[in-house]
Amino acid sequence: MSLTLRINGEDRSILSDPETPLVYVLRNELKLKGSKLGCGLEQCGSCAVLVDGKAELSCVSPAATFEGRDIVTIEGLAATEIGRRVQAAFVETNAAQCGYCTAGLVVAVSSLLAENESPDRDAAKAALDPHLCRCGAHPHVLRAIEIASGRS
Amino acid sequence: MTATAIDLLSPSVDPNKSALGIRRVVTRNVECCCPVMNLFRSAGVQVDVAWEMVGG
């Protein structure tokens, strides 16, 4: 049974079992390695991708549930104005340390800024609550959001 | 032993907050591929960091 997913603006035919969680399809079949598999339980946020413009976790939901929806991975974010702005802000503030959670964070921040152009710190923290970072990059990420949103 | 890495970066952290979040209690026990989490774990240290702990 084949499946077609729209990923980063392109329709991609998928050979994996439709029940395979999306992140495995992205990483193993499509070789889009930017989305990380962290916990596999939707508890860490490292697998976040944009789905119809909003951040969603991809490590549990079967790939088939994303059919007909517009998926943007971290690889495709640079094609968007918000994505470029967020990536530049992360670089400026050294918001990546080990980098494992960074792709998910960039996706989540891009989703946040698409909904709220100028989130305050509390809104930013709430939006990033599903995302774990064990390096302690949190203050840098919050600073990146301020820069990307033009608050500083 | 519980280490809170964010304490090093944000002196305004309220350490009492770390015990209150149910979600965090769940997530801190999740097996994760994050290399830093596993580095701390291999040393017997549990790192508890959450966004609401960040000051400012």
Side-chain angles (χ1 to χ4, degrees):
Chain A
M1 181 176 156
S2 69
L3 182 68
T4 300
L5 297 178
R6 186 154 186 82
I7 299 172
N8 298 333
E10 292 180 19
D11 287 331
R12 306 289 298 265
S13 293
I14 307 300
L15 299 175
S16 302
D17 186 318
E19 291 301 309
T20 307
L22 178 64
V23 71
Y24 293 96
V25 174
L26 295 174
R27 291 180 55 82
N28 298 337
E29 184 172 338
L30 301 178
K31 307 303 179 191
L32 296 169
K33 304 279 190 179
S35 305
K36 299 293 187 287
L37 177 64
C39 65
L41 295 169
E42 293 190 336
Q43 293 287 317
C44 79
S46 63
C47 64
V49 294
L50 287 181
V51 180
D52 295 334
K54 294 190 176 181
E56 286 194 23
L57 304 179
S58 64
C59 66
V60 171
S61 298
T65 63
F66 295 91
E67 196 165 27
R69 305 175 74 188
D70 189 29
I71 301 163
V72 178
T73 67
I74 188 71
E75 289 88 350
L77 260 186
T80 69
E81 191 277 327
I82 288 178
R84 283 193 299 274
R85 195 156 24 109
V86 172
Q87 288 174 337
F90 268 61
V91 170
E92 184 178 338
T93 59
N94 289 317
Q97 291 193 28
C98 86
Y100 205 85
C101 62
T102 306
L105 287 169
V106 170
V107 166
V109 172
S110 299
S111 174
L112 170 67
L113 294 184
E115 281 191 3
N116 180 353
E117 286 184 2
S118 187
D120 61 21
R121 277 212 155 199
D122 287 342
K125 290 178 187 178
L128 297 180
D129 189 57
H131 294 260
L132 301 185
C133 168
R134 288 305 186 245
C135 294
H138 305 60
H140 298 258
V141 174
L142 294 174
R143 174 84 181 122
I145 294 173
E146 289 173 356
I147 290 173
S149 64
R151 289 175 67 91
S152 66
Chain B
M1 176 181 178
T2 298
T4 306
I6 207 75
D7 284 340
L8 304 175
L9 301 168
S10 177
S12 60
V13 160
D14 176 0
N16 294 321
K17 281 187 177 177
S18 64
L20 300 179
I22 293 172
R23 194 191 70 83
R24 197 173 328 112
V25 170
V26 173
T27 56
R28 79 165 67 138
N29 291 317
V30 167
E31 290 297 325
C32 186
C33 299
C34 168
V36 176
M37 185 181 289
N38 289 324
L39 176 68
F40 278 108
R41 275 196 173 148
S42 68
V45 176
Q46 186 158 275
V47 183
D48 189 6
V49 185
W51 290 98
E52 70 263 29
M53 298 166 72
V54 183

